[in-house]
Amino acid sequence: MEVRPNPTADNSSVVQPQRQRQTPATTQKKAPASPIPVDTTSVSKRLQKELMSLMMSGGDLGVSAFPEGESIFTWLGTIEGGKGTMYEGLSYKLSLRFPLDYPFKPPQAKFETMCFHPNVDQFGNICLDILQDKWSSAYDCRTILLSIQSLLGEPNPESPLNSYAAALWNNKEDYRKMVHKQYFAGESLES
């Protein structure tokens, strides 16, 4: 049986062999190469194309999003509550953070406005299958925003992040009151 040293053990008492003297040119360490090269230029171009598509739709679907600051990878979105839903007349802010390997991985989407909903937790995290295991690279920012807007009116109480909202969902009047109470009490969530 071969015994190997434990790299996490304290080896301060072990005598290390002396290293050969290195010249300044050989003392620089190189960063480890990424196993999969990331082409941020193509991701940036895709996000710019998605931004133009959203801008051309003019928010006529009740959704919009724009980059936050200088980074094309961080956006702020807005979703209007759908007509005939408990959220009608309300406007919600969301943050979208696109990974460097987008569209092969979904963005992180989070409510920044307080949202009482079975599939949204107290921190604004969203439980939506297309943002997790059902993600497809064919989806875009517009699809994500429309899906979240649709989720507002059609929650999945069987997979709740907010069990109180899920339990209250069948009592429409009390549910609507709680939606409005939380919306107007806490316009934005603390990070």
Side-chain angles (χ1 to χ4, degrees):
M1 181 167 114
E2 179 183 358
V3 177
R4 295 185 181 177
N6 182 352
T8 60
D10 180 15
N11 292 328
S12 58
S13 62
V14 177
V15 177
Q16 300 290 325
Q18 287 188 337
R19 294 183 180 171
Q20 291 183 357
R21 188 173 179 160
Q22 297 177 339
T23 60
T26 60
T27 57
Q28 295 178 353
K29 291 185 178 181
K30 292 183 180 178
S34 174
I36 302 171
V38 175
D39 181 9
T40 58
T41 304
S42 66
V43 177
S44 294
K45 285 181 182 178
R46 167 143 177 177
L47 288 171
Q48 289 169 354
K49 185 177 177 181
E50 289 185 23
L51 176 62
M52 290 304 295
S53 174
L54 271 170
M55 290 171 61
M56 297 302 280
S57 72
D60 57 354
L61 300 170
V63 298
S64 63
F66 299 94
E68 178 184 26
E70 299 294 317
S71 175
I72 192 76
F73 292 94
T74 305
W75 291 23
L76 287 175
T78 304
I79 294 177
E80 302 296 327
K83 293 194 186 315
T85 71
M86 309 276 187
Y87 301 89
E88 184 174 0
L90 304 178
S91 178
Y92 290 89
K93 301 283 184 216
L94 291 100
S95 61
L96 298 155
R97 297 192 187 287
F98 295 90
L100 295 177
D101 50 357
Y102 178 78
F104 303 107
K105 294 278 169 74
Q108 292 178 336
K110 182 178 170 184
F111 277 93
E112 296 299 325
T113 306
M114 183 62 97
C115 182
F116 182 77
H117 191 276
N119 306 116
V120 179
D121 71 12
Q122 64 185 353
F123 305 108
N125 298 310
I126 305 165
C127 180
L128 181 62
D129 57 358
I130 71 160
L131 293 175
Q132 287 132 21
D133 59 331
K134 300 287 188 205
W135 174 254
S136 166
S137 59
Y139 297 145
D140 61 8
C141 185
R142 183 175 171 268
T143 306
I144 295 163
L145 294 171
L146 289 172
S147 296
I148 295 170
Q149 183 186 49
S150 176
L151 181 70
L152 286 178
E154 300 171 22
N156 180 2
E158 303 303 315
S159 179
L161 286 179
N162 181 335
S163 56
Y164 178 61
L168 198 59
W169 174 249
N170 291 326
N171 184 337
K172 302 301 183 201
E173 188 56 37
D174 287 347
Y175 186 90
R176 181 185 307 276
K177 286 178 185 175
M178 188 56 82
V179 165
H180 285 262
K181 179 181 176 184
Q182 286 204 1
Y183 180 85
F184 293 110
E187 277 291 322
S188 66
L189 299 166
E190 292 186 36
S191 299

